[in-house]
Amino acid sequence: MSVPEDEENPVPLAQRWPRASKFLLSGCAATVAELATFPLDLTKTRLQMQGEAALAQLGECAQQSAPYRGMVRTALGIVQEEGFLKLWQGVTPAIYRHIVYSGGRMVTYEHLREVVFGKSEDKHYPLWKSVIGGMLAGVIGQFLANPTDLVKVQMQMEGRRKLEGKPLRFRGVHHAFAKILAEGGIRGLWAGWIPNIQRAALVNMGDLTTYDTVKHYLVLNTTLEDNIMTHGLSSFCSGLVASILGTPADVIKSRIMNQPRDKQGRGLLYKSSTDCLIQAVQGEGFMSLYKGFLPSWLRMTPWSLVFWLTYEKIREMSGVTPF
C-alpha cells in the first residue's frame, strides 16, 4: 500500500506557518537578550529620571531625590541599597514587551522587504526602502507592546520611590496592569504611546536598517559569508546607530510614562512629548536628552549582538532561511 508523498515528507511547521514561526523565534531570541542585558536597561532608566526639572511643578525639589550618579555608581547603589536581584526589577513585563515588540517588528519588516517593497533580482535592497521598512516595523511593533512597556518603566522606578520614602505603587506585574487600567482605562495603557513609537521608529531605523544593510553589503561585496562573523559585525554597527538615534526619544518616553497622572489619566508634568522635550532642554540643557547614553549603548550593543546571533541560529535550526 503506497503512502502519500505528503505523509512521507511532512511540511515543516516553519514553512507551514512562516510568519507565526518567525514571530515565536524572534520572541525567544529577544527573551534571551533581555535577561542578559536587563540590569543596564534599569540603570539607564534610573539615570534618565535624575534631576527632572519638571518635578518642581509638584513641589518636589532635586534635593529630595537621590543625588546625581554615573552609570557605575547607580548600578552599585541599586545593589547596595535595594539588593542584587533588584537589578532585574521589572524584567517580567520587559519580557512580555519584547515578545510582542520583537515579534511584531521582525514579521512586519520581513513582510515589507519581501512582499511590499521587494528585493531586486541581484538581492540588492535599496537603503531608502530599508529605512522606511525599519521605521514602520518599529511603529507597529511598539504600538502593540505599549501597555507592557508602560508597566516595565513604572516598575523600574519602584526601588527609587522606596528609597525616597514614597509608597510603592504596585505589588507585582499583574497588579500594575490592573491598577493602570482601573485609573486610566484602556487609554491609560497607551499612555506615552506617541513618544514611544517615535523612539521605536528611530531605534529600528538604526537597528533593523543598519543590520540588514551592513550584513548584505558584507555578504555581497566582501569575502565574508553569511556566518557568525558577519552577524557579529552587523549587530555591533546596528547597536551603535540605534543608541545614537534613539536615546533622546528614550529619555522623553521614559519621563512621560513615569509622570504622575490625574484621575482621567492625563499627565501632571507634561502635555505632550514636545512639551517634555522643551522643558528638558530649557531646564537641564540639551545634553539632558542623552542622559543614560552610556548604559544605553553598552546595553544596546550586547543586546543586539545576543539577539541577532540567537535569532539567526534558531532560524537555521528551525529550517527558516537567514534574515
Side-chain angles (χ1 to χ4, degrees):
M1 181 176 178
S2 61
V3 179
E5 185 176 346
D6 290 343
E7 293 184 14
E8 290 183 352
N9 301 301
V11 179
L13 292 177
Q15 296 180 20
R16 193 179 306 172
W17 297 300
R19 290 192 179 90
S21 299
K22 291 173 183 177
F23 186 97
L24 291 174
L25 293 177
S26 61
C28 292
T31 299
V32 174
E34 195 67 15
L35 287 171
T37 62
F38 190 79
L40 285 169
D41 186 53
L42 175 65
T43 303
K44 173 206 72 176
T45 302
R46 294 287 183 90
L47 283 170
Q48 289 173 344
M49 300 300 174
Q50 286 189 149
E52 196 170 357
L55 288 174
Q57 298 176 20
L58 300 181
E60 300 183 26
C61 60
Q63 286 76 10
Q64 292 175 319
S65 302
Y68 276 95
R69 293 171 171 174
M71 182 190 73
V72 176
R73 289 185 60 196
T74 298
L76 290 176
I78 293 171
V79 173
Q80 294 170 355
E81 297 163 3
E82 304 172 41
F84 177 74
L85 292 180
K86 290 299 182 181
L87 287 172
W88 280 268
Q89 183 165 6
V91 72
T92 302
I95 291 175
Y96 291 165
R97 181 243 181 189
H98 266 289
I99 291 174
V100 178
Y101 169 67
S102 293
R105 74 185 183 115
M106 299 304 292
V107 170
T108 301
Y109 183 82
E110 287 199 73
H111 179 75
L112 291 172
R113 185 182 66 181
E114 307 298 336
V115 179
V116 179
F117 293 138
K119 291 183 178 180
S120 60
E121 294 182 0
D122 61 354
K123 302 296 182 181
H124 178 68
Y125 190 52
L127 179 61
W128 69 269
K129 290 184 179 181
S130 185
V131 168
I132 295 175
M135 295 181 74
L136 286 176
V139 167
I140 292 172
Q142 185 56 57
F143 182 78
L144 295 174
N146 197 81
T148 54
D149 201 20
L150 175 66
V151 171
K152 182 201 78 168
V153 170
Q154 295 205 5
M155 288 195 68
Q156 284 179 330
M157 298 307 298
E158 288 297 272
R160 195 182 82 167
R161 288 179 63 88
K162 184 176 181 180
L163 291 176
E164 294 174 354
K166 300 177 182 177
L168 297 183
R169 297 173 291 185
F170 314 117
R171 294 191 298 269
V173 177
H174 299 103
H175 178 245
F177 275 111
K179 185 174 181 181
I180 293 172
L181 185 61
E183 292 179 352
I186 295 294
R187 179 182 177 184
L189 291 173
W190 269 267
W193 71 273
I194 293 179
N196 227 355
I197 65 171
Q198 290 170 343
R199 172 190 178 271
L202 293 171
V203 167
N204 282 278
M205 183 172 67
D207 185 31
L208 286 173
T209 300
T210 302
Y211 181 85
D212 196 20
T213 302
V214 172
K215 175 187 171 180
H216 288 94
Y217 176 84
L218 293 175
V219 171
L220 295 174
N221 297 281
T222 71
T223 57
L224 291 175
E225 298 180 355
D226 193 349
N227 54 27
I228 191 171
M229 176 64 73
T230 303
H231 302 160
L233 289 173
S234 303
S235 62
F236 178 83
C237 294
S238 68
L240 176 60
V241 176
S243 296
I244 293 173
L245 293 177
T247 296
D250 193 31
V251 171
I252 302 302
K253 177 214 73 168
S254 295
R255 292 188 172 191
I256 286 182
M257 295 184 114
N258 191 61
Q259 69 176 321
R261 299 183 177 276
D262 61 20
K263 294 181 179 180
Q264 285 72 44
R266 293 189 295 263
L268 299 177
L269 297 179
Y270 311 111
K271 299 176 182 177
S272 64
S273 56
T274 303
D275 181 44
C276 182
L277 172 67
I278 292 172
Q279 289 196 50
V281 173
Q282 290 182 343
E284 306 162 54
F286 176 78
M287 291 309 297
S288 66
L289 298 178
Y290 279 89
K291 282 184 176 180
F293 172 78
L294 183 57
S296 179
W297 174 60
L298 290 177
R299 177 187 184 260
M300 187 70 74
T301 299
W303 193 98
S304 183
L305 181 67
V306 173
F307 173 79
W308 285 111
L309 292 183
T310 304
Y311 187 50
E312 294 275 19
K313 187 62 179 179
I314 59 178
R315 282 176 71 115
E316 177 186 339
M317 294 170 61
S318 303
V320 181
T321 56
F323 178 77

